[in-house]
Amino acid sequence: MELLEVLNENGIPTGEILDKNKVHKEGKYHKEVALILLNKKGEILLQKRSSTKEIEPNKWAWHGGHVIAGETSKEAIIRETKEELGLTLTKNQIKLLVELRRDKFPNRQYTVAYYSRCNLNVDEFKIQKDELSEVKWFSFRKFKDMIYSSHPDMMFKNNENTNKIISALENIIKSY
């Protein structure tokens, strides 16, 4: 059971802590984190969600997950990264990219998106098989094309929040 801290519409904790499934079923706001891993070529690591995932199975996505009650956002993304990719990051290796709000019922959330640099080959990741089926480095152009063309294998769609992430990434990639 994954317990989440419920937030109000302004992102402030309500004091209520509920199971993730109940939070989603009732459309309550909660915290999530995302991590974009970039290599020295400016490529983005995407992970293919397992075929057993309830939401968006077999789709390419960036890394992320829920913030469990009592965790900070950075602690959550460090935990998720270790669990799902076998990669241990420190708080200093993770940089804020953008903060987002999603109002679409039932998965209403506040997301803190981070980025970090990583130069591992895909075979060096130790992926959690019940969460992911594979990881792959994508060129930034291919990543954007998949989103903007509504590619059927891409989890994320061309919308305001995704565009904020792309815009922030463009600024970072320019500095490579």
Side-chain angles (χ1 to χ4, degrees):
M1 179 175 357
E2 202 171 1
L3 295 176
L4 306 181
E5 187 172 37
V6 174
L7 308 175
N8 69 17
E9 61 278 352
N10 298 312
I12 297 172
T14 65
E16 188 176 21
I17 295 175
L18 298 172
D19 177 65
K20 173 181 81 171
N21 295 328
K22 186 167 181 152
V23 168
H24 286 174
K25 183 179 179 185
E26 295 180 9
K28 295 189 181 261
Y29 285 99
H30 58 285
K31 287 190 239 179
E32 290 195 358
V33 287
L35 178 66
I36 312 291
L37 290 172
L38 301 167
N39 68 15
K40 60 187 169 197
K41 299 177 199 173
E43 294 173 321
I44 296 172
L45 185 79
L46 295 181
Q47 59 188 42
K48 193 167 197 179
R49 296 168 60 83
S50 166
S51 63
T52 60
K53 295 295 283 181
E54 184 178 332
I55 298 172
E56 303 283 0
N58 298 313
K59 302 278 178 124
W60 289 105
W62 50 69
H63 184 62
H66 290 94
V67 177
I68 294 173
E71 271 185 323
T72 67
S73 294
K74 276 196 172 182
E75 289 168 344
I77 202 60
I78 288 169
R79 173 185 49 78
E80 289 281 352
T81 304
K82 178 69 175 164
E83 288 173 1
E84 294 183 5
L85 298 176
L87 178 63
T88 302
L89 296 173
T90 66
K91 289 181 182 182
N92 292 336
Q93 292 175 296
I94 301 167
K95 307 293 182 204
L96 179 64
L97 183 65
V98 66
E99 295 184 51
L100 307 165
R101 174 181 159 160
R102 182 175 191 260
D103 294 313
K104 189 175 177 185
F105 188 89
N107 197 12
R108 301 189 314 166
Q109 67 211 24
Y110 282 85
T111 302
V112 180
Y114 297 101
Y115 74 97
S116 187
R117 297 176 194 261
C118 176
N119 290 306
L120 295 178
N121 294 317
V122 292
D123 60 349
E124 294 178 89
F125 292 97
K126 295 178 182 89
I127 65 171
Q128 186 179 23
K129 294 291 187 183
D130 61 330
E131 294 284 330
L132 318 173
S133 60
E134 67 179 297
V135 293
K136 182 178 175 182
W137 290 105
F138 285 81
S139 72
F140 189 63
R141 175 180 291 277
K142 174 72 174 171
F143 166 73
K144 288 192 325 184
D145 287 349
M146 287 176 73
I147 289 171
Y148 293 144
S149 70
S150 300
H151 193 284
D153 293 336
M154 175 57 78
M155 178 174 167
F156 299 104
K157 309 298 181 229
N158 181 4
N159 60 41
E160 183 181 353
N161 281 345
T162 303
N163 289 328
K164 286 178 184 177
I165 286 177
I166 289 171
S167 179
L169 284 172
E170 285 175 332
N171 291 328
I172 290 162
I173 290 172
K174 284 179 191 174
S175 70
Y176 270 48

